[in-house]
Amino acid sequence: MGFEEVNARVLAATEAAGRKKGAVQLIAVSKVQPNERVAAVLEKGHRVFGENRVQEASEKWPDFKSRFSGVELHLIGPLQSNKVRQAMELFDVIQTVDRPKLAKAIARLAGELDHCPRLFVQVNTGEEPQKAGILPPDADAFIAQCRDMGLTIEGLMCIPPAGTDPKPHFAMLAEIAKRNGIAGLSMGMSGDFEVAIASGATHVRVGSAIFGDRDYG
């Protein structure tokens, strides 16, 4: 599709859902994309990007941030405990807070660094054993635990199981957010972002539809 078409479709879906312009933030997922493709989207004026791995982002984004002002970088992949400090220094938003050990490390380092990225809790709505995320029955208690540590949880994130109807998963995430007083909903990717917007997404994560197929070479 390319950036312009994806952006236009996000705006159209937002309007079709009866929501205000700007209610949905498009996150351009630049993981495993050549730097020239990322630079091309930056040059179009887009500034919100997502990366899956701390190491890859650390090699790519300091240079881009020095060249383009106003970049907002989201971590949307699993965060290992030994990468927490590096992630907190590089990312503006961490969307994958999913276990007490990780939350404790973030809380400790937030005090040490006098800085904390904005935080989302990842919920494993499909309860898939191979996938990261807090399980839905444990989500309320985990959110409360994070808050007890002094962490502000501004959103929830999910990745519905592949090949299934995403709507029930988006509805589940929205319900968990509602009962916990959380406004942010990161849900929807290249194949279902319009469905996600209709379901209340505030952030959609789109990669291949913007950049083309990923380069794993």
Side-chain angles (χ1 to χ4, degrees):
M1 278 185 258
F3 171 72
E4 289 91 347
E5 184 177 343
V6 170
N7 196 45
R9 286 176 58 174
V10 167
L11 293 171
T14 303
E15 184 178 356
R19 300 171 64 191
K20 291 181 180 179
K21 185 177 180 179
V24 181
Q25 191 169 66
L26 171 60
I27 300 170
V29 179
S30 49
K31 66 174 184 178
V32 202
Q33 292 289 352
N35 282 358
E36 58 268 23
R37 293 185 188 174
V38 180
V41 175
L42 281 159
E43 285 162 2
K44 294 179 192 294
H46 192 68
R47 290 293 182 269
V48 186
F49 290 80
E51 289 282 346
N52 266 46
R53 295 180 181 276
V54 175
Q55 188 61 40
E56 181 188 349
S58 70
E59 294 165 0
K60 179 189 300 181
W61 281 98
D63 178 59
F64 281 140
K65 283 190 168 188
S66 72
R67 291 165 52 196
F68 298 93
S69 63
V71 168
E72 180 177 288
L73 195 58
H74 292 240
L75 178 62
I76 58 173
L79 178 55
Q80 298 169 311
S81 297
N82 65 344
K83 299 282 189 183
V84 174
R85 178 185 292 272
Q86 192 177 8
M88 290 179 69
E89 291 172 343
L90 179 62
F91 288 92
D92 302 286
V93 184
I94 295 173
Q95 293 204 8
T96 49
V97 182
D98 66 349
R99 59 196 186 279
K101 182 180 178 182
L102 178 57
K104 288 174 185 174
I106 292 171
R108 177 177 58 81
L109 283 164
E112 189 177 314
L113 299 170
D114 196 26
H115 155 78
C116 188
R118 291 151 48 207
L119 302 174
F120 284 51
V121 165
Q122 181 174 355
V123 181
N124 185 350
T125 56
E127 302 193 28
E128 298 173 272
Q130 81 282 10
K131 194 173 283 182
I134 197 83
L135 296 177
D138 302 326
D140 292 359
F142 179 62
I143 292 164
Q145 190 176 4
C146 290
R147 287 170 168 166
D148 286 345
M149 295 178 201
L151 299 177
T152 298
I153 302 301
E154 76 166 50
L156 303 180
M157 184 267 252
C158 75
I159 306 170
T164 65
D165 180 0
K167 287 182 184 178
H169 297 273
F170 296 158
M172 180 191 299
L173 198 73
E175 177 55 37
I176 295 170
K178 182 179 178 181
R179 68 174 178 253
N180 285 283
I182 292 171
L185 288 171
S186 176
M187 53 192 198
M189 298 185 289
S190 287
D192 58 13
F193 65 86
E194 287 152 316
V195 176
I197 290 169
S199 302
T202 58
H203 298 71
V204 293
R205 311 178 305 272
V206 182
S208 56
I210 290 174
F211 294 104
D213 291 336
R214 295 189 175 96
D215 180 6
Y216 289 97

